[in-house]
Amino acid sequence: MRDVLPVLGRWYAAGVPFGLATVVQVSRSAPRDPGAAMAVGPDEEVVGSVSGGCVEGAVFELAQEVAASGEARLETFGYSDEDAFAVGLTCGGEITVLVRAVTPERDPGLGAVAESVAAGEPVTVATVTDGPAPRGTALAVWPDRTLGTLGASGLDAAVTADARGELALGATGLRHYGPQGQRREDSVSVFLQSFAPPPRMLVFGAIDYAAAVARIGDFLGYRVTVCDARPVFATPRRFPEGVEVVAQWPHRYLRDTDTDERTVICVLTHDPKFDVPLLTEALRRPAAYIGAMGSRRTHADRAARLAGEGLTERELSRLRSPVGLDLGARTPEEVAVSVAAEIVALRWGGSGAPLCATEGAVHPYRSP
């Protein structure tokens, strides 16, 4: 959804009706997670994807019908054993898609949501998918305000409270309520889609490996900062466009920088005078991933120094060192792939093993 919002914002500003399909629920080996979106706009222009190609043709036709009628639809697509050419997911999974017509009159908040996402401001969109409340009705929720209504003040109040909680976690998913927002009822289903600011990747050490890691971090959607105490190396021209470059002692920069449970920290300085104070700070603060480059001998020496600084075994166990998965990587670009693979595996609970050597669903859904 984040990827298609710029286009949707242009259609919305022009007042042109369009059909918006959003994945609201998945099961088994579904190719896309909840929140994946596809829209059909003027002149049959299509942006986004809900299944990577499996059911896009059917969703295209459905989005056109909904845009013309204005009536939101909830459709489930799954695998068909009887007809290989039937509309369905060949991966064996199942997705439920909400398709709704969007205009400024029907959805007064979408333009403001698109602007907030572009500006990096957190916002959650709550959309009714099923129940007595009007299907497709949307409520935009920011930390300090709301826009729109789901049709009942009690429902708005309950959803707003939950949406702000989900926004703090960057979470997306279905919630259930009574018609007036009752917590113990489930007659109304509401899809909460959070647009939290992109997670941060902090790369320390302005070396060739850092440029490659920064590039792949940007590709994965992180807001990347590279920091090095040596101004001669910490220059923007050595790094991809859009990557922030800071010339400052790493531990001092980190001390003054907010991190959270989504933050990724990659320590590539490979020098004890930088590594030890930096990792002492990093291992005592929130982060999704903390990795440090170096050989096993370097890691053993570094761990001993950190223990000497008073870090506990539990704190030291958070350190991924040597950094990355065992891919046999040699070049900076290959090492960056190795580091990115470890970050993705840790985020989603992947084993890092070849898929051909594993069993079960390829894409089991797990909450981020």
Side-chain angles (χ1 to χ4, degrees):
M1 185 66 168
R2 186 187 296 273
D3 295 336
V4 303
L5 268 175
V7 176
L8 304 192
R10 291 198 296 272
W11 293 347
Y12 184 87
V16 180
F18 59 89
L20 175 62
T22 305
V23 177
V24 297
Q25 194 168 26
V26 304
S27 66
R28 298 190 297 276
S29 185
R32 303 295 303 275
D33 290 332
M38 170 181 162
V40 180
D43 301 321
E44 300 186 346
E45 183 180 356
V46 178
V47 293
S49 170
V50 293
S51 73
C54 298
V55 300
E56 261 63 13
V59 173
F60 172 81
E61 295 180 1
L62 186 58
Q64 286 186 307
E65 294 173 8
V66 168
S69 69
E71 295 295 324
R73 299 267 296 276
L74 190 69
E75 297 286 343
T76 297
F77 299 93
Y79 179 72
S80 172
D81 290 311
E82 297 179 358
D83 184 355
F85 295 98
V87 173
L89 302 177
T90 57
C91 60
E94 185 176 274
I95 62 173
T96 300
V97 179
L98 173 69
V99 187
R100 61 190 181 99
V102 179
T103 64
E105 293 74 27
R106 289 193 178 95
D107 189 347
L110 189 137
V113 168
E115 291 175 0
S116 289
V117 173
E121 298 172 352
V123 59
T124 293
V125 178
T127 311
V128 175
T129 65
D130 206 5
R135 177 177 289 160
T137 304
L139 170 69
V141 180
W142 288 265
D144 59 350
R145 66 190 190 281
T146 64
L147 184 57
T149 178
L150 301 181
S153 59
L155 183 60
D156 286 348
V159 170
T160 295
D162 288 346
R164 287 175 175 154
E166 297 291 277
L167 186 57
L169 299 173
T172 287
L174 278 173
R175 300 293 289 265
H176 305 281
Y177 307 88
Q180 292 296 325
Q182 297 93 329
R183 301 284 183 177
R184 296 184 179 182
E185 298 184 24
D186 60 0
S187 60
V188 181
S189 297
V190 180
F191 182 64
L192 302 181
Q193 185 168 15
S194 298
F195 297 94
R200 297 201 66 180
M201 173 181 280
L202 306 177
V203 182
F204 295 96
I207 59 177
D208 290 344
Y209 292 96
V213 170
R215 188 176 298 111
I216 203 166
D218 179 67
F219 175 75
L220 290 175
Y222 288 93
R223 181 162 68 93
V224 183
T225 299
V226 176
C227 175
D228 197 298
R230 302 162 295 183
V232 67
F233 294 112
T235 60
R237 68 175 179 274
R238 301 185 64 238
F239 296 93
E241 184 179 356
V243 171
E244 179 186 27
V245 181
V246 175
Q248 190 174 343
W249 274 83
H251 71 284
R252 292 174 184 165
Y253 174 78
L254 184 58
R255 185 186 301 153
D256 296 331
T257 300
D258 291 333
T259 63
D260 60 26
E261 287 74 13
R262 302 184 302 152
T263 303
V264 166
I265 299 174
C266 298
V267 178
L268 312 179
T269 45
H270 207 259
D271 185 331
K273 69 176 178 288
F274 296 126
D275 290 0
V276 174
L278 172 59
L279 288 170
T280 300
E281 176 69 27
L283 292 169
R284 288 173 170 164
R285 58 167 51 230
Y289 175 92
I290 303 170
M293 177 175 281
S295 66
R296 299 191 191 282
R297 180 176 178 178
T298 298
H299 170 68
D301 176 72
R302 180 190 293 134
R305 292 173 183 265
L306 290 170
E309 293 295 321
L311 271 76
T312 65
E313 288 188 13
R314 183 174 181 178
E315 290 168 336
L316 289 171
S317 70
R318 301 179 62 203
L319 180 60
R320 315 287 291 195
S321 176
V323 69
L325 295 186
D326 180 13
L327 305 182
R330 294 291 187 273
T331 68
E333 290 74 20
E334 290 173 345
V335 169
V337 170
S338 168
V339 173
E342 184 175 41
I343 291 169
V344 172
L346 189 63
R347 178 186 180 191
W348 294 106
S351 66
L355 286 171
C356 62
T358 64
E359 297 179 355
V362 173
H363 298 109
Y365 177 67
R366 299 181 178 91
S367 296

